[in-house]
Amino acid sequence: VRPPRELLADRHDRVRFVMASLGITTLLVSALKNLEYLTGFRGSTGAALVRADHVVLVTDGRYEEEAGELAADARGLVRPLIVEKTYEETIAASIAGDRSPVGFEADVMPVSKHRWYTAALDAAGWPSAGFVPTASIVESCRIVKDAWEIGLLREAAARLSAVAVGVLADLRPGVREQDVAQAVEAGLRRAGFYGPAFDTIVASGPRAALPHGRASERAIKPGEPVVLDFGGIYGGYCVDLTRTVACGEPGDEVRYWHGCVLAAQRAAIDLAAPGIAPEAVDRAAREVIERGGLLDRFTHGTGHGLGLEVHEAPRVGPARTMARVPAAGTAPLPDRLQPGMVFTVEPGVYVPGRGGVRIEDDVLVTASGVEVLTSVPTTLVLD
Ligand code: ZN
Ligand code: ZN
């Protein structure tokens, strides 16, 4: 599955608009997910040059056929350039003829490669100021999903929910966390996922207090909280879900945590809408947990954006104490929610030595609020 040509054209135009606002006429894209966004390329190595009327896909002989196919589909929008010796030499030779400033992605360019490029461009008679560090140019476009991406994410979330329902129905005391994780991953593949989006988290009993407790050898005991957090990659797009359940009566404390986290999640989902700041969504969840007396046990942000990456913009967390230093070449990310943004809402509480609860769903910002894409009962006690 590749993005349709007209959507690729639209993505290119949006990226060029941001580039123009930063005074850049060619952008060297090294981040693979940005490359995938702009071309549909899914190989392990490659780069792109976003130019005024086309995007050059730079890759090597291993991907010549794939690059040729997607360029044919893109009919002129994407032109492949196959590396002969090294990526750097091919890219430097390609941009050496460009007079205008060429931006590079400062977050992913290693210092050693940057040195190499500046020396090579210097040798080609370039002014050193012509190779410009940038940040967030493609990411600022990726933050709002297009119709094709929304279709994939909606389908992925429905499939992920079906996998979760199946796994929860099979959960029994005595089963090891690892066995549950294996069942999740087998379920993902059966449901058409390319694979898990991250290491599946199955954390039972006191391990439920570890927000990122990877599945271990531990056997699940009756009545313990079990945090099950997993994600899948479908058509290149990541979805992510958490439920906390108990096989048997978990007792008042876990019931209380669960009620509190569920109310916090509800408050955050109810507030989320276009024009609302992500920090406000985080605050809505945090205030409920604070009223429940558990504020110091909620140790992470409320959510994160989903897309080609399982953690991307928008970040749904507390406002940063120090404002970001605005750097030249950095594209601003929107500071309010907009229709088409997709993110998780996943408050949690963690009490060391005793356990914890997290509940996570994926939402799409609509014209008036959000659509919850995942759909799995939030029942704590399984029969
Ligand atoms: Zn998760
Ligand atoms: Zn998550």
Side-chain angles (χ1 to χ4, degrees):
V1 279
R2 284 196 200 109
R5 184 180 189 272
E6 62 275 17
L7 288 180
L8 275 188
D10 183 58
R11 293 177 190 181
H12 296 177
D13 286 343
R14 287 191 286 140
V15 166
R16 285 189 194 106
F17 182 80
V18 179
M19 286 163 57
S21 73
L22 299 171
I24 286 151
T25 35
T26 301
L27 178 66
L28 167 57
V29 174
S30 316
L32 281 173
K33 295 298 170 186
N34 290 343
L35 178 60
E36 180 171 348
Y37 183 72
L38 294 171
T39 66
F41 180 75
R42 296 226 178 105
S44 63
T45 328
L49 291 164
V50 183
R51 292 225 159 96
D53 64 349
H54 64 281
V55 171
V56 181
L57 166 60
V58 188
T59 188
D60 56 75
R62 290 172 298 166
Y63 297 111
E64 192 164 359
E65 196 177 328
E66 181 181 348
E69 274 173 25
L70 64 85
D73 283 354
R75 295 191 304 281
L77 292 180
V78 177
R79 299 186 194 164
L81 174 61
I82 302 301
V83 168
E84 301 239 319
K85 283 186 273 177
T86 68
Y87 274 88
E88 292 81 65
E89 284 169 288
T90 306
I91 290 165
S94 179
I95 60 178
D98 296 27
R99 294 261 172 74
S100 314
V102 174
F104 66 89
E105 295 179 313
D107 289 330
V108 285
M109 168 79 66
V111 174
S112 55
K113 284 203 176 145
H114 182 257
R115 283 198 186 120
W116 190 93
Y117 278 116
T118 46
L121 293 169
D122 185 52
W126 258 45
S128 58
F131 198 49
V132 183
T134 71
S136 304
I137 293 181
V138 183
E139 288 83 351
S140 71
C141 300
R142 278 173 49 191
I143 193 170
V144 172
K145 272 60 189 175
D146 58 38
W148 187 77
E149 295 179 292
I150 289 170
L152 281 173
L153 283 159
R154 200 179 264 136
E155 180 64 27
R159 290 176 187 232
L160 191 75
S161 302
V163 174
V165 168
V167 169
L168 292 176
D170 289 345
L171 203 66
R172 297 283 180 275
V175 174
R176 294 178 318 157
E177 292 173 357
Q178 275 180 350
D179 300 328
V180 178
Q182 254 181 34
V184 165
E185 287 166 23
L188 288 173
R189 296 202 193 262
R190 269 199 308 275
F193 286 88
Y194 170 77
F198 52 86
D199 285 343
T200 297
I201 292 169
V202 185
S204 61
R207 294 191 78 251
L210 308 171
H212 271 198
R214 280 184 198 160
S216 76
E217 302 266 348
R218 192 178 187 281
I220 294 166
K221 295 183 192 149
E224 285 182 340
V226 183
V227 176
L228 179 65
D229 182 355
F230 65 97
I233 307 172
Y234 179 80
Y237 284 78
C238 299
V239 283
D240 186 3
L241 179 104
T242 306
R243 287 292 180 268
T244 303
V245 294
C247 305
E249 178 51 45
D252 290 345
E253 185 177 48
V254 174
R255 280 183 181 275
Y256 178 71
W257 297 339
H258 191 267
C260 196
V261 169
L262 193 57
Q265 196 209 27
R266 193 69 255 166
I269 289 173
D270 285 347
L271 181 72
I276 299 290
E279 302 90 76
V281 174
D282 177 81
R283 208 180 312 122
R286 220 161 281 279
E287 279 170 4
V288 172
I289 289 179
E290 183 171 25
R291 282 202 294 279
L294 292 165
L295 184 62
D296 61 334
R297 307 273 44 106
F298 179 17
T299 49
H300 53 72
T302 294
H304 52 86
L306 293 169
L308 289 167
E309 287 172 280
V310 73
H311 289 107
E312 59 178 58
R315 166 183 167 275
V316 184
R320 295 178 195 273
T321 43
M322 202 174 81
R324 267 202 174 177
V325 183
T330 298
L333 295 175
D335 55 7
R336 303 284 162 150
L337 296 179
Q338 289 175 23
M341 289 183 177
V342 176
F343 58 89
T344 70
V345 182
E346 51 176 310
V349 299
Y350 311 93
V351 182
R354 304 235 288 281
V357 169
R358 179 166 64 256
I359 302 170
E360 175 178 31
D361 284 289
D362 303 345
V363 303
L364 161 71
V365 181
T366 62
S368 57
V370 296
E371 173 187 338
V372 183
L373 301 177
T374 39
S375 170
V376 178
T378 49
T379 319
L380 170 63
V381 188
L382 304 175
D383 347 279

